Amino acid sequence: RRAMDAIFFVLRTGCQWNALNATGICTSSSAHRRFQEWAKAGVFRELWRLGLLEYDELGGIDWEWLCIAGAMTKAPLGGEKTGPNPTDRGKSGTKRSLLTDGGGIPVGLVVAGANEHDKWLAGPTLLSQPALGPEPTSEAPVHFCADKGYDYADVREVVELWGFTAHVKARGE
């Protein structure tokens, strides 16, 4: 319990792991070790899935509208999911491809190198959903919104395979 409290503290505050030693919650080495073990075991993904299911049960998830977007951040220490950032002189960075519901609730996430194009992350981001919404029908369609970074035939094919209605901004607009 103390390790989970420490992990949530780091995630909530953004402090460094070593700063935990001053809090008395849990040692930084124990908390970080547990974080790595639990992340590898899928504990946090399962917590996310259960949270989405409970929130949806309360009528909270707007499955009618989904939106995908990518965001790049610096990753100066590198790691396996980094790549040269094309917008920051090739410095090491990551890209987060996020799928949200109509209200902005995260329902899918992929982390990749900053040099990964949005169009290649659309399919994996859709597949990353820990909890799926209802099957789209003509009476209850699911609308998929994206910016011009996703204006490619292969993205539209993936969206169509999911049965979604694509609303993708055209390149050049």
Side-chain angles (χ1 to χ4, degrees), residues 47-98:
L47 286 173
W48 181 24
R49 186 184 75 78
L50 293 171
L52 285 174
L53 291 173
E54 186 169 333
Y55 186 72
D56 195 27
E57 215 174 273
L58 297 171
I61 298 181
D62 178 3
W63 291 111
E64 184 180 356
W65 291 93
L66 298 177
C67 180
I68 191 170
M72 291 185 284
T73 57
K74 295 179 180 184
L77 300 179
E80 65 184 57
K81 294 190 179 185
T82 61
N85 188 335
T87 64
D88 193 12
R89 299 180 307 276
K91 293 180 181 175
S92 184
T94 62
K95 180 179 277 188
R96 292 181 313 273
S97 179
L98 182 66

Side-chain angles (χ1 to χ4, degrees), residues 78-143:
E80 65 184 57
K81 294 190 179 185
T82 61
N85 188 335
T87 64
D88 193 12
R89 299 180 307 276
K91 293 180 181 175
S92 184
T94 62
K95 180 179 277 188
R96 292 181 313 273
S97 179
L98 182 66
L99 183 70
T100 65
D101 79 333
I105 301 296
V107 296
L109 174 69
V110 169
V111 178
N115 57 333
E116 287 288 326
H117 196 287
D118 288 338
K119 77 174 197 166
W120 300 119
L121 297 176
T125 304
L126 285 166
L127 287 170
S128 73
Q129 298 175 78
L132 298 175
E135 193 75 26
T137 65
S138 57
E139 297 82 31
V142 174
H143 301 275

Side-chain angles (χ1 to χ4, degrees), residues 140-162:
V142 174
H143 301 275
F144 178 88
C145 302
D147 65 22
K148 61 187 175 183
Y150 299 90
D151 184 23
Y152 294 91
D154 40 1
V155 172
R156 291 180 188 280
E157 287 174 23
V158 168
V159 171
E160 189 176 302
L161 283 172
W162 280 78

